[in-house]
Amino acid sequence: MGEKVVAGAFDLSDRQRYRDKLRQCLTGLERLLAQQRFDRPKNLMGLEIELNLAGADGLPKMLNGQVLERIASRDFQTELAMFNLEVNITPHRLGGRVFDRLAEELRTSLAYAHRKAAEVDAGIVMIGILPTLDRDDLVTSNLSDVDRYTLLNDQIVAARGEEFTLEIDGVEHLACTSKSIVPEAACTSVQLHLQVTPARFADVWNAAQAVAAVQVAVGANSPFLFGRELWRESRPPLFQQATDTRPPELKAQGVRPRTWFGERWISSAYELFEENLRYFPALLPICDEEDPLEVLAAGGVPKLAELVLHNGTIYRWNRPVYGIADGVPHLRVENRVLPAGPTVTDVVANAAFYYGVVRALAEDSRPVWTRMPFETAAANFDAACRYGIDARLQWPRRGRLGGTTEIDAVSLVRDELLPLAEAGLDAWGVEPADRDLYLGVIEERCRRRTNGASWQVATFHRALEAGLPRDAALAATTRRYAELMRQGEPAHTWPVGLPEPVPTG
């Protein structure tokens, strides 16, 4: 949600006016779709990565303002808390050696940011949840010094009307409360964008929903929170609970959470924007001066500012995005399921797998979403978050047999989805060397049943067995992770454990 928002109070008329403007925006979107005003295919993909700042001790550093001042690049922005940054990579055309170019840009950008962070005794750590975060780090005083974050926090807290309950029952159990949404800042992710035509949007979104579980299973990298070992990918349950405007009574009534997987396959992008208005009250009822219908009537392209802002406060794991580039509107699918890290190679491999498999599934003559209930895709997502690379998922049977069958995530990827991803990347025109390098990373993860989450857990337990107290073991795991991350070899090759002798006592 990158809009410039000025903090202030809202009254009753603001909310009614905002609702009216949202309806005008939705009508404007409907007319743009009917008039076929959207950009033609450009095969454009984009990438954003949320990052953590940590010191040499592995503990979080609340210094994003100072670090951003030193980086002095519009590619880097604030995120919710002072230990967060975000890097945005310029959109690339899918094809050729795009993934190698992407990897080189990321390595250059992150190395530069790390050097600048070192000037204030901090460093960049690309990880789903920083294992050393403590509850005292995730408090309102550590919100980034940006009006929109303060305002968003105030509005979500007011809508909920009571403390947030954080409860995750994983390998260990976590139960605590928070007075703010700041625990959401623990969740640092990779967001993959794909520009699509309106006619292709539903197929791409449905395909992305179907494979979200698989993405998480092979890419999990967030096993710890507040010193507890929880799910292999603990970001989704944490994010949902930390932004949940529903007290228990509204949950019991079936009110939908603002962070959600969804509840049905779709046939158009319009349906998702319409759901946003139907189900979710405004959090930031800030009205733009533009009359979208007047702009349309005059032959212009409306910003649909209220629709865009409202969409930015509803946290779908695959989110529709309306944007304008060079005066022409376009639609994107924003895939938000992946954690950050562990290395640039791992991030780019995750991206290559996603763009390949989504294209292949979206063009399948027997689409997976016609052979699998939506509820199954949602259940798969939860299973993948809980068990990571060891998850077992439900997937449509091959051939003419109907129904679904249970299968190991790694077997599903190696036997069925990697060949599809290969075909999809070929269809994008990606060079075979690029394709084979990055899909090979996914294959090796599956062969070794090793990803960032499993490495973190194994190294943490090795440190405990060597006599380190829990907090020290988490800090040592984080330091070793950061060291290996900067060396750059993919996580499935990392040696488990700590390199130096661990002192006892």
Side-chain angles (χ1 to χ4, degrees), residues 423-436:
L425 293 180
D426 288 346
W428 287 120
V430 172
E431 286 199 16
D434 237 22
R435 177 199 70 201
D436 295 345

Side-chain angles (χ1 to χ4, degrees), residues 49-54 60-69 71 76-87 113 117 122-130 133 137-139 142-146 148-149 181-189 239 340:
I49 308 177
E50 295 163 350
L51 307 164
N52 290 277
L53 291 172
K61 287 274 201 173
M62 307 297 164
L63 294 170
N64 66 356
Q66 294 94 312
V67 173
L68 283 169
E69 191 176 313
I71 292 173
F76 287 84
Q77 300 173 356
T78 55
E79 256 300 326
L80 185 63
M82 291 181 180
F83 62 89
N84 298 143
L85 300 175
E86 180 176 271
V87 60
I124 301 294
V125 182
M126 190 165 55
I127 194 168
I129 296 176
L130 196 66
L133 281 170
D137 297 317
L138 297 171
V139 293
N142 285 334
L143 273 172
S144 291
D145 187 20
V146 178
R148 72 175 181 271
Y149 297 133
I181 68 168
V182 186
E184 176 206 321
C187 307
T188 43
S189 66
F239 201 107

